[in-house]
Amino acid sequence: MSWLFGLNRGQPEPPPGLPEPPPPPAGGSSGGGDKPKDKWSNFDPTGLERAAQAAKELDKSRHAKEALDLARMQEQTTQMEHQGKMKEYEAAVEQLKGDQIRIQAEERRKTLNEETKQHQARAQYQDKLARQRYEEQLRQQQLLNEENLRRQEESVHKQEAMRKATIEHEMELRHKNELLRIEAESKARARVERENADIIREQIRLKAAEHRQTVLESIKTAGAVFGEGFRAFVSDWDKVTATVAGLTLLAVGVYSARNATAVAGRYIEARLGKPSLVRETSRFTVGEAIKHPVKVTIKRLKSKPQDALEGVVLSPTLEERVRDIAIATRNTRQNHGLYRNILMYGPPGTGKTLFAKKMAMHSGMDYAIMTGGDVAPMGRDGVTAMHKVFDWANTSRRGLLLFVDEADAFLRKRSTEKISEDLRATLNAFLYRTGEQSKKFMLVLASNQPEQFDWAINDRIDEIVNFALPGPEERERLVRLYFDKYVLEPATGGRQRMKLAQFDYGKKCSDIAKRIDGMSGREISKLGVAWQAAAYSSEDGILTEAMIDARVDDAIKQHLQKMDWEFWARVYFSPTLFV
């Protein structure tokens, strides 16, 4: 009923964002803290008049008591609503304070983050400065070390120059002293000879007179003997005739025997003797046949035609190509055709020599192996030795496969390489004997550096085959081949002191093939021999899986060391490699 008395007029509006504050209760209990002038300034006197008028009307009404109770209840409800709004207002004030605290905390957090970033930037900058100072110190230290090294080198050079100067001075003094000594000895000897000149001349005269007397007496005696003999010989005509005839026959016999011996020797050497340049051959000589007849027979039996790729492990593409070459060579021999010359190049130990032997046996031909490194040391005899090789090759009834290993050692370019005149003449002799294809011999060259061949050599090549390093499948086949040859066969044969531990042999061979990437066939063969040697060196003769792995690790280390040596050798001998 506050509206009856005109309360809450002219009160200020609540701040924006907050709920409207509740009006004060009708009893005025909440306004006890206000000053009297504030209370009466809002009082409306007309409200009393309206209240009095309403009270009179209520007193006259029958329901005055109910209306009074209803008014009291409305007033209590209004006060309770006012208290609820006050609670909401206080809650809103508290929420506003919480928002302000949160905003302040957010601002403080941003401030802390910014300070942290500044500290990090300052620390990075200080670290950068420290690194720059450290690098500058290192650079200064390096410059100082270089300066000290330069000074040391200068000091060493000066000491070496002083030592050389001292040695030269000593040699000069020694030479002068020697000259003075020789001069003094010569002067003394000349002075002695001058002083004893008369005695020396008398001794010379006496010796000359004695020698002259002896010579004269010898001449007289010889003349008398020869004169008597010649007089007796001339007086007998039959003796003169017989002597002349005997001397004539003797001269004719000596001349004929010498020529016949030379011709027979050349024929025998060409037919039966092995030339000095040939290191290995399947042909046998007369000396071998006389000394070792059983060995020669066995060699001849083994030289029967067989598979050209037996025991040779190559890639499928290369295997197909070399098999075609072997078949063509065998058919060429059977039809008496012209043989084709072949160049096989690639890393060492990839099967070039082995395939050449197998191809010769497959074709039914003899083979001869020579190496290019044996030609240069022969000097002037190289031309004669080269002709002997080809003369000997032309006498083969079955046809000869001449395999020249390391051919680039003497078949180098004549225009660019600095080779001796003897080696140049030997190369010219080789070119002369291989100018045309032959029905008697087949030329097979093997080289690791075919780019060094003379252009004339390249013109004589009919087929070029590249023997590359074995791939993964070929390595596994090689490992299994040599594992069976050097480990399984001796262990199962029972004739040798060797046993094999129990493990998965196939899986072990596959693992080893994956680890030995880059190895050649010869290196894998040596690895098999190393396994066998490891078993023989053990106390019980048992080859274990750990021993096999240890030998594989050693082989890999040795292979890498060889590759490193080869790399530095190429760098050393090829100064323009990195230019």
Side-chain angles (χ1 to χ4, degrees):
M1 298 177 63
S2 59
W3 58 276
L4 296 174
F5 302 98
L7 297 177
N8 296 332
R9 284 188 180 181
Q11 290 186 355
E13 294 292 330
L18 292 177
E20 183 178 357
S29 60
S30 61
D34 294 337
K35 295 181 181 181
K37 61 177 181 179
D38 294 334
K39 178 179 179 180
W40 295 109
S41 62
N42 294 327
F43 180 76
D44 188 5
T46 58
L48 293 175
E49 295 177 359
R50 289 193 301 271
Q53 185 65 29
K56 289 179 181 181
E57 292 178 358
L58 285 175
D59 289 338
K60 293 178 180 180
S61 175
R62 292 179 301 173
H63 303 286
K65 185 177 181 180
E66 288 82 358
L68 182 62
D69 293 335
L70 180 61
R72 186 182 299 109
M73 290 177 64
Q74 288 179 353
E75 186 66 22
Q76 289 177 356
T77 302
T78 303
Q79 289 181 0
M80 291 176 66
E81 290 177 357
H82 178 74
Q83 289 178 359
K85 290 182 180 182
M86 287 298 295
K87 295 290 184 181
E88 291 178 0
Y89 180 77
E90 291 176 356
V93 171
E94 292 297 331
Q95 184 179 1
L96 181 60
K97 291 181 180 180
D99 292 340
Q100 290 179 353
I101 292 172
R102 183 178 57 79
I103 293 172
Q104 291 177 359
E106 184 69 22
E107 292 293 333
R108 189 179 300 106
R109 186 181 61 80
K110 291 181 179 179
T111 304
L112 290 175
N113 291 335
E114 188 66 26
E115 291 178 354
T116 304
K117 290 181 180 178
Q118 291 180 359
H119 286 309
Q120 290 179 352
R122 187 181 303 106
Q124 292 177 357
Y125 181 69
Q126 291 177 355
D127 183 63
K128 181 179 179 181
L129 291 179
R131 286 199 302 269
Q132 290 179 353
R133 286 195 300 269
Y134 181 69
E135 291 176 357
E136 184 66 21
Q137 290 176 358
L138 288 180
R139 190 176 64 82
Q140 295 294 336
Q141 185 66 30
Q142 183 178 2
L143 293 176
L144 183 60
N145 293 336
E146 291 178 356
E147 182 67 20
N148 293 333
L149 181 61
R150 184 183 61 80
R151 292 179 181 178
Q152 291 177 1
E153 290 178 353
E154 291 179 355
S155 177
V156 170
H157 289 328
K158 289 181 181 179
Q159 292 177 1
E160 186 68 18
M162 292 175 64
R163 188 180 65 81
K164 289 182 179 180
T166 304
I167 294 174
E168 291 176 356
H169 183 64
E170 290 179 355
M171 294 296 293
E172 184 178 359
L173 293 177
R174 190 177 293 110
H175 181 65
K176 289 181 180 180
N177 292 334
E178 190 69 20
L179 291 177
L180 293 175
R181 186 182 62 79
I182 294 173
E183 183 179 0
E185 290 179 355
S186 301
K187 289 180 180 179
R189 191 179 299 109
R191 185 171 63 255
V192 171
E193 290 179 356
R194 282 197 303 271
E195 292 176 355
N196 299 329
D198 297 337
I199 300 174
I200 294 173
R201 281 196 298 270
E202 185 63 23
Q203 290 177 354
I204 294 173
R205 187 180 62 77
L206 292 175
K207 289 180 180 180
E210 184 179 357
H211 180 69
R212 184 170 57 254
Q213 186 66 26
T214 303
V215 171
L216 289 175
E217 290 179 358
S218 300
I219 292 173
K220 288 178 181 180
T221 303
V225 174
F226 182 76
E228 290 295 333
F230 184 73
R231 190 179 300 111
F233 177 76
V234 173
S235 61
D236 191 350
W237 183 251
D238 294 334
K239 292 182 179 180
V240 174
T241 305
T243 303
V244 172
L247 292 174
T248 302
L249 293 175
L250 179 63
V252 172
V254 170
Y255 179 77
S256 300
R258 186 177 63 181
N259 290 337
T261 303
V263 172
R266 286 196 296 270
Y267 178 80
I268 293 173
E269 183 179 7
R271 286 282 179 180
L272 304 176
K274 184 180 71 172
S276 59
L277 284 177
V278 176
R279 285 180 171 265
E280 181 183 352
T281 179
S282 60
R283 296 179 63 180
F284 62 92
T285 62
V286 176
E288 291 179 351
I290 295 173
K291 293 180 181 179
H292 309 286
V294 178
K295 182 179 178 181
V296 171
T297 305
I298 295 174
K299 182 188 293 186
R300 181 59 69 185
L301 291 175
K302 288 184 177 179
S303 63
K304 291 183 178 180
Q306 53 181 285
D307 187 8
L309 297 178
E310 182 180 358
V312 181
V313 178
L314 302 173
S315 63
T317 304
L318 181 59
E319 183 176 344
E320 181 180 0
R321 184 178 181 188
V322 297
R323 189 182 293 277
D324 293 341
I325 294 174
I327 295 173
T329 303
R330 183 183 61 185
N331 294 334
T332 300
R333 176 184 175 276
Q334 293 175 354
N335 294 282
H336 304 286
L338 294 174
Y339 293 107
R340 305 179 75 225
N341 300 327
I342 300 176
L343 169 62
M344 297 187 295
Y345 71 96
T350 51
K352 298 185 289 294
T353 306
L354 180 60
F355 169 70
K357 291 181 181 180
K358 296 291 184 180
M359 183 172 65
M361 294 181 182
H362 173 76
S363 305
M365 302 173 63
D366 292 323
Y367 69 85
I369 299 176
M370 61 175 287
T371 178
D374 294 338
V375 178
M378 301 194 71
R380 297 180 180 178
D381 299 332
V383 176
T384 305
M386 189 62 64
H387 285 297
K388 287 182 179 180
V389 169
F390 286 100
D391 292 338
W392 177 74
N394 287 324
T395 60
S396 177
R397 295 180 180 180
R398 306 172 61 192
L400 181 73
L401 188 148
L402 181 59
F403 181 77
V404 183
D405 197 9
E406 304 296 338
D408 52 276
F410 79 102
L411 300 180
R412 296 173 175 268
K413 297 177 183 178
R414 293 169 292 177
S415 59
T416 59
E417 297 290 341
K418 295 181 180 179
I419 60 176
S420 62
E421 292 299 326
D422 296 333
L423 188 59
R424 190 185 300 273
T426 305
L427 175 57
N428 291 332
F430 181 87
L431 294 174
Y432 171 75
R433 298 305 297 262
T434 57
E436 296 180 356
Q437 291 177 313
S438 173
K439 295 182 179 181
K440 293 291 185 179
F441 65 89
M442 175 181 181
L443 186 63
V444 179
L445 304 180
S447 172
N448 302 329
Q449 298 175 343
E451 67 276 1
Q452 297 184 1
F453 280 157
D454 190 86
W455 286 110
I457 298 296
N458 295 331
D459 186 61
R460 284 156 173 77
I461 300 300
D462 302 313
E463 190 84 20
I464 299 177
V465 183
N466 180 16
F467 282 73
L469 291 172
E473 297 180 359
E474 290 75 31
R475 287 198 305 272
E476 185 170 354
R477 290 169 57 192
L478 286 169
V479 171
R480 293 179 181 272
L481 173 66
Y482 293 120
F483 187 83
D484 294 342
K485 181 178 180 181
Y486 295 110
V487 178
L488 286 181
E489 292 181 1
T492 57
R495 293 175 296 176
Q496 301 184 20
R497 180 185 173 272
M498 183 175 178
K499 298 179 182 179
L500 187 60
Q502 294 295 328
F503 56 89
D504 192 349
Y505 307 146
K507 184 176 182 300
K508 175 55 64 176
C509 291
S510 301
D511 295 340
I512 293 173
K514 294 177 182 178
R515 294 177 58 191
I516 58 175
D517 185 18
M519 286 192 180
S520 63
R522 182 180 294 121
E523 290 177 313
I524 298 175
S525 173
K526 292 181 179 180
L527 183 58
V529 177
W531 295 335
Q532 190 181 80
Y536 291 154
S537 62
S538 61
E539 295 181 357
D540 51 3
I542 299 177
L543 181 63
T544 62
E545 187 175 3
M547 297 167 64
I548 292 177
D549 292 335
R551 293 301 182 275
V552 172
D553 293 338
D554 294 340
I556 293 174
K557 291 179 181 178
Q558 294 174 10
H559 174 74
L560 295 177
Q561 183 64 50
K562 292 176 183 177
M563 294 297 101
D564 187 52
W565 288 344
E566 182 180 0
F567 171 76
W568 288 112
R570 290 181 179 179
V571 172
Y572 179 77
F573 290 107
S574 300
T576 60
L577 183 62
F578 297 108
V579 175

